[in-house]
Amino acid sequence: MNIPVTKLDGLLFDKDGTLFDFHATWSVWASELIVTLSEGDPAVAQALSRGLDFDLETGQFRPGSPAIASPNRYVAECVAGALGRSDVDAVEDLLDYHAQQAPLAPAVPLAPLLEGLKAQGLVLGVMTNDSEATAHAHLRAAGVDGFFDFVAGFDSGFGAKPEPGPLLAFAQAHGLAPGRVAMVGDSTHDLVAGRAAGMQTLAVLTGAAGAGELAPFADHVLAHIGDIPGWLSA
């Protein structure tokens, strides 16, 4: 649906699939991770691909993969199960380390977009179901960490999407009315959280989900975040 936009004071972005193109970043990362962790054993590679719901032939995550929107802890549990390991904490640390080395592919040139949004007086934040440390590492690597007034991960103490807690924490931290904030994301987790928080919801198509899946939960659907300035001024 297309609901008329209310005056906005803030934009809260998901990270993977929103700021960064999902498949160009994380499908490439997963292919490399499976090669590294399987150490040349085809059976282990197959087990990992099943645990991550990753298609080895196409080199892409399937739409139902836990890696798309789930917190890192759950992804670590899936990987640990595939490897037959019980030390989930160690596996989570391993995934976090590898994630910080991911080959980032911004969805659009980020710095000029974010600079323009800040110039409009908007408060900008990031809320990801990745870890907070990895989020900061990725934003620094992309040269845009300084544009954000708030960065939170699943481990920041506010909860994880699709719960509204971390979204409301962003609004509360900057004195923003939730209805004057837009949650921008590529998954239903992002949009469901946004609706639950009383925020406007803006879907982008740079993740694994298509418009048909996202539209029922979104006030607006855009091709990518580069369309936000036009949407704001329409």
Side-chain angles (χ1 to χ4, degrees), residues 29-39 45 48-49 52 54 56:
W29 172 83
S31 293
E32 295 173 352
L33 180 74
I34 289 172
V35 169
T36 298
L37 296 184
S38 64
E39 298 180 334
L48 285 166
S49 70
L52 291 170
F54 184 84
L56 289 173

Side-chain angles (χ1 to χ4, degrees), residues 12 127 129 159-168 178 182-184 187-201 217:
L12 182 59
M127 198 287 132
N129 278 354
K161 297 172 294 191
E163 296 302 318
L167 284 65
L168 293 171
M183 177 68 219
V184 187
S187 76
T188 56
H189 272 42
D190 302 318
L191 305 175
V192 168
R195 287 273 173 92
M199 295 179 175
Q200 297 176 60
T201 53
F217 305 95

Side-chain angles (χ1 to χ4, degrees), residues 119-206:
Q120 295 184 46
L122 291 164
V123 179
L124 305 182
V126 173
M127 198 287 132
T128 175
N129 278 354
D130 205 345
S131 71
E132 182 178 334
T134 298
H136 279 293
H138 288 168
L139 296 174
R140 283 195 300 269
V144 296
D145 199 27
F147 289 108
F148 293 102
D149 307 287
F150 178 95
V151 177
F154 79 96
D155 55 353
S156 298
F158 308 119
K161 297 172 294 191
E163 296 302 318
L167 284 65
L168 293 171
F170 167 65
Q172 292 165 2
H174 294 281
L176 306 177
R180 291 169 69 100
V181 175
M183 177 68 219
V184 187
D186 68 298
S187 76
T188 56
H189 272 42
D190 302 318
L191 305 175
V192 168
R195 287 273 173 92
M199 295 179 175
Q200 297 176 60
T201 53
L202 185 58
V204 291
L205 302 179
T206 42

